[in-house]
Amino acid sequence: MIIDADTHISPTHEDAFAVTIDTLISNMDRAGVDKALTWLRPPYMREIAESNRYVYEATRKHPDRILGFGWVDPHLGLPQMKAEIKRCIEEYGFHGIKLNGAQNSFYIDSPELSLPLIDEIAKMNTVLAFHIGTDAYEATHPYRMGKIAGMYPEMQMLMVHAGGVGFADLSNAAIEVIAEHENITGIGSAIRHINVLKALKKLGTSRICFGSDFPFNLMHVEVAAYKALLEDDFSVAEQQLVWSGNLARVLNLAE
């Protein structure tokens, strides 16, 4: 089984990266991907409730393929976002909540903006995901996520991009933080494949998940790259952890 741990959809159709539910499914079929962890395509500094609702509609339309995940932006108001967290988990049945300090312009460990929402996510006993990459070098640095992981050691967390995105590289810092915190699992999307291999060899195959960052990357190309990356250096059992087993563990998916 292959689970893509990083995919986006959008109801807005505003540009080439605002893809529909049907486009995601057709790309999954082409790539041989069985399921996809799916969150909204960032609408940047606009209301996100409609986009979270669209992800929910995807889980209703394709319950065997789409694993829904929520998204909140503290700039839209802490009370409103706390209500959105509750809606995403209790009403939509999502597997967790994502915070993206790059696209929504905040430091992920901000006591004023981020930590109040993280507290609320912790109360919901769900999974927390962070965009961790070089496109907002200071705001989404791996060390900031490590700080948060230490504050909430019982909460499972996903490190999306594992220090990739853009021309710079934070993969060594990401590997260091994942190694220090057992509650963090990395998603190797939008990062150089040589750095994914480095992470797998340093951390072991139980700490990194496959992800394509679709539609910002081509899903079928990323699947092919991972197959080439994994086939010579890792056993079939180790490969399956990367393809689906690690994410299934973090999300507590039924076998």
Side-chain angles (χ1 to χ4, degrees), residues 108 130 132 140-151 157-160 162-163 170-186 199 202-203 207-208:
I108 61 169
F130 286 107
I132 299 294
T140 65
H141 197 284
Y143 291 161
R144 294 189 186 277
M145 184 172 181
K147 174 182 172 182
I148 296 165
M151 295 169 64
M157 300 183 185
L158 294 168
M159 182 188 285
V160 186
L170 285 170
S171 61
N172 287 330
I175 289 168
E176 178 183 328
V177 169
I178 293 171
E180 289 178 352
H181 300 280
E182 294 184 358
N183 56 329
I184 299 178
T185 300
K202 288 190 174 183
L203 296 168
R207 305 298 302 280
I208 300 292

Side-chain angles (χ1 to χ4, degrees), residues 210-243:
F210 163 70
S212 71
D213 199 21
F214 177 82
F216 303 104
N217 288 318
L218 298 173
M219 186 184 293
H220 68 285
V221 173
E222 291 301 306
V223 168
Y226 262 76
K227 285 181 178 178
L229 184 154
L230 293 169
E231 63 185 357
D232 290 333
D233 292 316
F234 304 99
S235 70
V236 172
E238 288 173 326
Q239 292 177 42
Q240 195 54 51
L241 289 175
V242 177
W243 286 122

Side-chain angles (χ1 to χ4, degrees), residues 2-21:
I2 297 177
I3 305 177
D4 190 332
D6 183 10
T7 69
H8 306 256
I9 57 175
S10 172
T12 64
H13 317 300
E14 61 193 38
D15 58 36
F17 295 118
V19 302
T20 66
I21 296 168

Side-chain angles (χ1 to χ4, degrees), residues 53-65:
R53 178 76 187 184
Y54 190 65
V55 174
Y56 171 61
E57 291 170 3
T59 68
R60 294 286 301 273
K61 188 175 183 180
H62 301 283
D64 58 333
R65 307 290 302 277

